[in-house]
Amino acid sequence: MAAAFFASALGLWTQPAGSLSILWPASALLTVLLTRHPSLAHPLSWAGAFCGLVLASLLRTSMSWPAALSYGVIDLLGVFVAWSILSSHWSPAHLRSPQAIGRLLLACAAAAATHTAIALALSPWLRPGIPWSTIALNWFIGQLLSYSAFLPPIMLLPRPLTRCRDHRQSWASLLRRMAKETRLLPIATLAVSLSLCFLLGGPGVAVFPIPALMYCALTYRQLTTAWITLLTALTVLLGISHGWLSLGEVQHLAGLQAWDMVSLRLGVLLLVTSPLLVSSILAARGDLITALNLALDHDALTHALSRPAFLRRAAEHLGRSPAPPQGNALLMLDLDHFKLLNDQYGHAAGDQALKAFAQTIRTLVRPHDLFGRLGGEEFAMFLPGTSERDSHDIAERLRLSVEALTVPLDSGPPARISVSIGVVHDTHAPHASLSLLLAYADQAMYQAKRDGRNRVHMHGGPAARPLDATEEPTCPLPSNNAPKAP
């Protein structure tokens, strides 16, 4: 009820004497609340929203009770249509394409058409003497503008923190990203264009900021662009409605003819939708580039780093200066008897074993460790900032986890797999290149194979010491709930 009341009061603040409000945010804000918080969509909430809409009309204007009730019904039915279309599925990610923004604008148009149809049915009583075509165009475009201005920026906000599992989408992280991405030139350009609106005025004031908003859309994220666009539209509309912006011969909004009001609203609608569509195109392109980079850097079957990506990132770690005081470790991991598994159960079973093995490893390593597939059943891990003892203990923990793993098969009992691991620490090969460390780790891995498989062998260090399953390493691995490494 409070949300409906204050949103209605804001809309009534833009209402000139004897005319409709130039902007009506109440319907759009109620749609957002009901869509983002499905628990609110029950009869009591709808009744409270209706009371808030009616109460605002009665307190802000001299409207009669029957008229206030009628306008409340019109708004609530429009909200119901928009909510019905948008509530099936939504998330900020769903709006990152021109098609998704188009569907959102279609929902806005459907809601605006509902407002218009009911308003036309009641027009002989609510606004007698006004032609139906004037009412239809003004009401439809006004509601479409209000929905299009307020829905996208609020719908693009991340989910509430209590429901947000990904820390990258938290409110604090969002504010940090927005502050980090802020570049002053587009904002300065927009400020200049708005200043020209106030200084020059004239019929074209609604489109003055569009080039600057396009610049913002090309520079900022989609969410930032949406909010900048909304604030710009509010500045222009409030300036016009209160006479701060001159419209040429007409100095105030109340002096506009009905068709002039239609033209003005169409101009502001263009101002709102153009940067939004441009930013959605750029967001979709950015998502595509990210997906392509992910596909290039990761193995499609196991989702481990691809060989080129692993080698590149490991070399970057080795080249850092100064080097970590504990040194770095490199592990070579090879599944035992993998060819026999393929021959006995088929390649589908082999693929299943590789996926299960990689998933197990990813849940156990630390966030900054690198895990990659070098080819076939051969994998590698780079452990930056890890001592020699800790690297051995980590390798042993990985071996025990794989040994306990069962791989479900399409037919027959689950298969069991094991892994042989070779470990090299760069304290035994000072200033060695990555290729040399890989060769040493490969030698250690083959020595583990010769020693009987399903074991860990350290290159150049003390003999491998079996680690009991109940013994805790000095560098404990994170729990399964810890963030996964790439």
Side-chain angles (χ1 to χ4, degrees):
M1 179 176 177
F5 177 82
F6 287 112
S8 300
L10 177 62
L12 292 169
W13 187 38
T14 68
Q15 179 176 358
S19 178
L20 295 173
S21 299
I22 192 171
L23 198 66
W24 188 252
S27 301
L29 294 179
L30 285 175
T31 302
V32 170
L33 280 175
L34 293 169
T35 304
R36 292 179 64 101
H37 303 280
S39 60
L40 296 178
H42 56 77
L44 286 178
S45 296
W46 289 99
F50 178 73
C51 292
L53 292 169
V54 173
L55 185 61
S57 298
L58 291 173
L59 294 180
R60 182 71 183 177
T61 65
S62 58
M63 190 178 296
S64 64
W65 270 99
L69 292 172
S70 300
Y71 282 117
V73 169
I74 293 173
D75 289 332
L76 214 60
L77 288 176
V79 170
F80 179 78
V81 170
W83 169 77
S84 300
I85 296 174
L86 297 174
S87 61
S88 56
H89 67 280
W90 82 271
S91 76
H94 290 163
L95 299 179
R96 293 178 60 81
S97 70
Q99 295 80 8
I101 293 297
R103 288 193 295 270
L104 179 64
L105 294 179
L106 283 177
C108 297
T114 303
H115 283 269
T116 305
I118 304 171
L120 283 175
L122 298 177
S123 61
W125 174 52
L126 291 177
R127 304 186 70 82
I130 300 179
W132 69 268
S133 57
T134 302
I135 294 177
L137 278 175
N138 263 299
W139 205 296
F140 177 77
I141 296 175
Q143 290 292 340
L144 180 59
L145 171 60
S146 298
Y147 277 107
S148 301
F150 284 93
L151 272 182
I154 304 177
M155 294 287 280
L156 281 167
L157 288 172
R159 292 180 183 273
L161 283 178
T162 54
R163 300 182 183 181
C164 182
R165 296 183 179 180
D166 188 351
H167 70 281
R168 293 173 298 177
Q169 294 184 5
S170 66
W171 284 92
S173 178
L174 170 67
L175 294 176
R176 285 196 299 270
R177 289 202 310 270
M178 292 178 68
K180 185 177 180 179
E181 75 169 12
T182 299
R183 299 176 180 88
L184 296 180
L185 187 56
I187 293 293
T189 305
L190 181 60
V192 171
S193 66
L194 286 174
S195 300
L196 290 176
C197 289
F198 284 88
L199 291 174
L200 300 180
V205 291
V207 296
F208 278 12
I210 288 181
L213 287 174
M214 291 296 190
Y215 188 13
C216 293
L218 294 172
T219 307
Y220 301 135
R221 295 175 183 266
Q222 187 185 22
L223 174 61
T224 308
T225 300
W227 277 98
I228 290 175
T229 301
L230 172 60
L231 295 176
T232 303
L234 287 175
T235 301
V236 172
L237 289 173
L238 291 176
I240 293 173
S241 65
H242 291 279
W244 306 328
L245 286 177
S246 172
L247 298 176
E249 294 180 1
V250 179
Q251 298 298 320
H252 196 274
L253 190 66
L256 284 179
Q257 299 297 319
W259 288 100
D260 295 331
M261 178 70 80
V262 171
S263 177
L264 173 62
R265 283 174 166 164
L266 280 175
V268 180
L269 182 63
L270 179 65
L271 179 148
V272 168
T273 56
S274 298
L276 187 63
L277 288 171
V278 170
S279 64
S280 66
I281 293 172
L282 295 177
R285 188 187 70 172
D287 291 343
L288 178 60
I289 292 174
T290 300
L292 290 174
N293 288 335
L294 186 67
L296 290 173
D297 284 352
H298 289 78
D299 175 61
L301 178 65
T302 62
H303 302 295
L305 288 173
S306 64
R307 182 186 182 93
F310 175 83
L311 297 178
R312 183 181 68 251
R313 297 188 187 185
E316 290 173 357
H317 276 284
L318 277 178
R320 288 180 180 174
S321 181
Q326 293 180 310
N328 306 291
L330 185 67
L331 280 61
M332 192 73 72
L333 306 91
D334 191 272
L335 292 181
D336 297 325
H337 302 297
F338 184 73
K339 185 177 184 302
L340 182 62
L341 177 69
N342 269 337
D343 294 341
Q344 185 173 354
Y345 298 104
H347 288 282
D351 289 347
Q352 192 67 25
L354 289 173
K355 288 193 289 187
F357 166 78
Q359 183 178 3
T360 300
I361 298 298
R362 286 200 308 272
T363 59
L364 293 173
V365 297
R366 301 166 299 182
H368 57 278
D369 294 336
L370 303 178
F371 173 57
R373 184 184 183 189
L374 300 187
E377 70 275 19
E378 193 172 65
F379 296 80
M381 286 188 62
F382 186 83
L383 309 178
T386 306
S387 67
E388 182 180 2
R389 170 60 191 274
D390 290 342
S391 63
H392 178 273
D393 290 349
I394 290 174
E396 186 65 19
R397 287 295 178 189
L398 298 176
R399 184 193 68 80
L400 290 172
S401 297
V402 174
E403 185 182 37
L405 182 64
T406 57
V407 181
L409 303 176
D410 294 335
S411 60
R416 304 296 295 269
I417 60 175
S418 62
V419 64
S420 298
I421 304 177
V423 184
V424 62
H425 198 269
D426 58 7
T427 56
H428 292 281
H431 310 295
S433 64
L434 178 61
S435 59
L436 188 57
L437 290 177
L438 285 169
Y440 287 153
D442 196 56
Q443 293 174 11
M445 183 267 294
Y446 277 107
Q447 185 59 49
K449 296 273 190 185
R450 288 190 291 268
D451 291 343
R453 294 184 170 85
N454 190 23
R455 63 188 63 226
V456 175
H457 185 84
M458 294 285 298
H459 174 84
R465 175 183 58 82
L467 184 67
D468 187 80
T470 60
E471 183 182 351
E472 290 295 328
T474 58
C475 180
L477 293 173
S479 67
N480 289 348
N481 295 327
K484 298 178 181 180

